[in-house]
Amino acid sequence: MKNRILLSLIILFVALGQVWGAGSREPAATADDPITLRVWGGVPEENGPAELIANFEAANPDIRVEYTRFVNDDSGNLRLDTALIAGRQVDVYFTYSSPQIVRRAQTGNALALNELAAADGFDFEENFGDVSFARIDDNVYAIPTAAGSQFFMANMDMLEAAGITEIPTSWTVDEFMDVARRLSSGTGQDRVYGVMFPNWPQMWLLGANVALGPNAWLNDDQTEANFDHPLFAEWIETRRA
């Protein structure tokens, strides 16, 4: 119940940012008109959003929510971007990666929430921590509804057999690769590999994103693709090795 209330408040706050900050997009509702918020998300409605919306509407009887699902892939995000550019179709939307919210903020398809938060006495860091929301050019454009961690699990039996008795709390990629090589053995069908990277589509960007930031795809002035940066090739070669 606590999580549902928190998520409802998050949607309400972001929604108000979209409605109040976009006066040229939508005529103001009169006192007698219910407010309708058009929410776009990548999760099927029956897998959570419907219950979330029902709880939100029960707590806010003067607000109605219309949910539109887009598939969180390239074509689905293009559909969302097209709707945002067209205007008057989206009040609130979920974004599922840092590069996407950076791009949408910089192209005017996300509204900064700082002034609204200040006027309402709402402190982002107090409520969500200092790294759990997107701050772009000193403005906050999104509030988190979920957080995921990336981590590796270590096989201590293999480590100890290789004479590695301590896992560093902070180490470089080269040190990590050295341990992976020491844990690798055998040939052919009996080959044992010292590390397994998940085959997530975005994993090939990880090394560059860590060094260059969430908008690593573009160069410093955000006008051209940045894929000729040596870090992209270096990380791809690291994964291949």
Side-chain angles (χ1 to χ4, degrees), residues 191-209:
R191 176 69 171 168
V192 174
Y193 291 92
V195 65
M196 190 281 290
F197 276 103
N199 194 30
W200 300 327
Q202 69 270 28
M203 277 295 291
W204 72 276
L205 295 168
L206 181 61
N209 280 348

Side-chain angles (χ1 to χ4, degrees), residues 69-223:
R69 193 242 173 150
F70 69 95
V71 179
N72 184 31
D73 58 13
D74 289 343
S75 60
N77 278 286
L78 177 60
R79 179 189 173 205
L80 171 59
D81 288 334
T82 302
L84 289 169
I85 293 170
R88 299 193 178 186
Q89 297 184 38
V90 187
D91 295 310
V92 186
Y93 62 87
F94 289 85
T95 292
Y96 297 92
S97 74
S98 296
Q100 286 176 339
I101 191 60
V102 170
R103 174 175 54 80
R104 286 166 178 158
Q106 293 177 337
T107 56
N109 288 324
L111 299 181
L113 302 175
N114 302 57
E115 292 184 6
L116 294 169
D120 204 38
F122 188 91
D123 188 299
F124 291 108
E125 294 190 14
E126 179 182 342
N127 285 276
F128 299 109
D130 59 352
V131 296
S132 61
F133 50 86
R135 187 181 293 278
I136 305 161
D137 298 329
D138 292 327
N139 290 316
V140 175
Y141 289 87
I143 298 176
T145 58
S149 299
Q150 296 181 359
F151 58 90
F152 285 94
M153 292 182 291
N155 185 324
M156 295 305 297
D157 290 339
M158 290 181 63
L159 288 167
E160 291 172 359
I164 303 170
T165 58
E166 185 175 348
I167 298 293
T169 57
S170 177
W171 50 355
T172 66
V173 172
D174 289 339
E175 291 170 335
F176 178 84
M177 291 180 68
D178 178 63
V179 170
R181 291 189 184 98
R182 292 171 63 184
L183 295 178
S184 301
S185 62
T187 60
Q189 295 296 318
D190 296 324
R191 176 69 171 168
V192 174
Y193 291 92
V195 65
M196 190 281 290
F197 276 103
N199 194 30
W200 300 327
Q202 69 270 28
M203 277 295 291
W204 72 276
L205 295 168
L206 181 61
N209 280 348
V210 169
L212 302 176
N215 209 21
W217 296 17
L218 298 177
N219 63 4
D220 289 340
D221 60 9
Q222 308 293 297
T223 59

